Amino acid sequence: AKYEKKMKVLREELELRRKTEIHEIEERKNGQINTLMKNHEKAFSDIKNYYNDITLNNLALINSLKEQVEDMKKKEERNEKQMSEIQAENKRLKEPLEKAKAEVADLKKQLANYQKDKQSLQSAKARLKVQEQDLKALHWEHEVLEQRFKQVQQERDDLYNKFVSAIHEVQQKAGFKNLLLEKKLLALADVLEKKEAQLNEVLSASNLDATALTVVTRKLEDVLDSKNSAIKDLQYELARVCKAHNDLMRTYEAKLNQFGIPTEELGFRPLESTVGGQPLGQGPAGLVAAPN
């Protein structure tokens, strides 16, 4: 019962507090509502005045725009009239304009070609200058080569004359020496034959005994051996001289070919020497085999 009484008192206090708070809340709410209503009324009045001002301004603007529209219509009419005049002028100027454009295009092409021609001319001038320098150098080189050619030609002629003289001299000497050697060989062969014939006659007429005949035969063989040795020496000397002559001919022909002189220009053809009609070898003259 004690707690119930406390609970009741507490409930009453809480109820009173609740009512008091609700009353305060309602008063604050009513005050806010009144404030909002006043604010809304003020705002509505401001909006109303604002839109009234806008409406008045719009009416004034509309009147002004009407006047501007009329002015624009008048300007448009004037512009249309000017446009038709300009179109007529454009039609009249169109053909000269096209001609002028064609002339401009042609002039541009000519200008481009002129620039190309100008560059080509500059390049040609540069190449011409270089070629002139090259030509001067070639002229100078040609003169130097011509002088060298004349000098070489003179040397060639001198060598040619010397070679011809040397060939004639060598041919004369070699021919004369060969002729002498061949005559000596023939003379020795004849003498040998005569000596052999005389010896045979002497032996057949002397009636020598065998011992004396043997002695005479040996002496005769010694003489014959010495004569044969002399003949072989002469044959070897002849072969060596002929070989030297042929080597000189080959050297001469090689020198002529080296200097570009054909052998046909000599006026004669050098003959190679032979021994007994037999050609000699190709080795040096000093390598001719000596007789055994």
Side-chain angles (χ1 to χ4, degrees):
K2 180 179 179 180
Y3 289 107
E4 289 179 357
K5 184 177 181 180
K6 285 182 180 180
M7 287 293 294
K8 185 177 179 182
V9 172
L10 183 59
R11 284 177 182 169
E12 289 176 355
E13 288 177 358
L14 290 173
E15 183 67 22
L16 180 61
R17 186 183 297 174
R18 184 180 67 79
K19 289 180 179 180
T20 303
E21 290 176 357
I22 288 172
H23 182 68
E24 289 176 356
I25 289 170
E26 287 179 353
E27 286 182 354
R28 286 197 302 272
K29 182 183 69 174
N30 291 329
Q32 290 177 356
I33 289 171
N34 290 330
T35 303
L36 287 172
M37 288 178 67
K38 290 179 181 179
N39 291 334
H40 287 170
E41 287 178 358
K42 185 176 182 301
F44 177 75
S45 176
D46 293 338
I47 288 293
K48 185 177 179 181
N49 294 329
Y50 173 73
Y51 280 106
N52 286 333
D53 293 336
I54 288 176
T55 302
L56 293 174
N57 292 331
N58 287 337
L59 291 174
L61 181 60
I62 288 170
N63 292 327
S64 175
L65 290 174
K66 284 181 179 180
E67 293 176 355
Q68 290 179 7
V69 168
E70 290 179 357
D71 293 337
M72 291 293 291
K73 285 181 179 179
K74 292 178 181 179
K75 286 181 181 180
E76 185 178 2
E77 291 176 357
R78 288 195 301 271
N79 290 335
E80 288 178 356
K81 184 178 181 181
Q82 290 177 357
M83 182 66 70
S84 46
E85 292 176 355
I86 291 171
Q87 287 178 351
E89 185 71 15
N90 286 338
K91 288 181 181 179
R92 186 177 64 83
L93 296 175
K94 184 176 181 181
E95 186 175 354
L97 180 62
E98 291 178 352
K99 290 182 179 180
K101 286 182 178 179
E103 291 178 358
V104 168
D106 189 21
L107 290 173
K108 286 182 178 179
K109 290 181 181 179
Q110 292 180 6
L111 179 61
N113 293 330
Y114 170 75
Q115 294 295 334
K116 291 181 182 178
D117 294 339
K118 187 176 180 181
Q119 293 177 356
S120 300
L121 180 61
Q122 291 177 352
S123 300
K125 285 182 178 179
R127 289 197 300 270
L128 180 61
K129 189 174 181 181
V130 173
Q131 289 177 356
E132 286 178 351
Q133 294 176 354
D134 293 340
L135 182 61
K136 290 180 180 178
L138 288 174
H139 277 307
W140 180 80
E141 187 176 357
H142 175 70
E143 291 178 358
V144 173
L145 290 175
E146 192 171 9
Q147 293 177 0
R148 289 178 61 189
F149 173 73
K150 289 179 180 178
Q151 183 179 359
V152 171
Q153 194 173 24
Q154 184 64 37
E155 292 177 358
R156 184 202 67 178
D157 294 338
D158 294 340
L159 287 174
Y160 176 76
N161 295 327
K162 289 180 181 178
F163 275 127
V164 171
S165 300
I167 286 298
H168 283 296
E169 184 178 356
V170 169
Q171 281 187 333
Q172 290 176 359
K173 290 181 179 180
F176 181 70
K177 195 170 184 180
N178 291 342
L179 182 61
L180 290 177
L181 290 174
E182 288 177 357
K183 285 183 178 181
K184 284 183 179 180
L185 287 174
L186 292 174
L188 287 173
D190 291 338
V191 170
L192 181 61
E193 289 179 358
K194 289 178 182 180
K195 293 294 183 182
E196 287 179 352
Q198 292 175 0
L199 179 62
N200 290 328
E201 290 177 359
V202 170
L203 290 175
S204 60
S206 60
N207 294 321
L208 296 176
D209 57 3
T211 304
L213 184 61
T214 301
V215 172
V216 172
T217 302
R218 285 180 180 176
K219 290 183 178 180
L220 181 61
E221 287 178 353
D222 292 337
V223 172
L224 290 176
D225 288 338
S226 63
K227 295 297 182 180
N228 288 331
S229 177
I231 290 172
K232 289 181 179 179
D233 290 338
L234 289 173
Q235 288 177 343
Y236 169 72
E237 183 65 19
L238 177 62
R240 191 183 65 79
V241 171
C242 292
K243 183 67 172 61
H245 174 266
N246 294 338
D247 291 344
L248 182 60
M249 292 298 100
R250 294 190 185 93
T251 304
Y252 169 73
E253 291 178 355
K255 287 294 183 182
L256 289 179
N257 293 328
Q258 181 179 355
F259 287 98
I261 304 173
T263 56
E264 291 79 6
E265 292 184 3
L266 292 175
F268 64 93
R269 180 170 182 81
L271 298 176
E272 291 189 359
S273 298
T274 59
V275 178
Q278 298 296 324
L280 298 174
Q282 301 297 323
L287 296 182
V288 176
N292 295 324

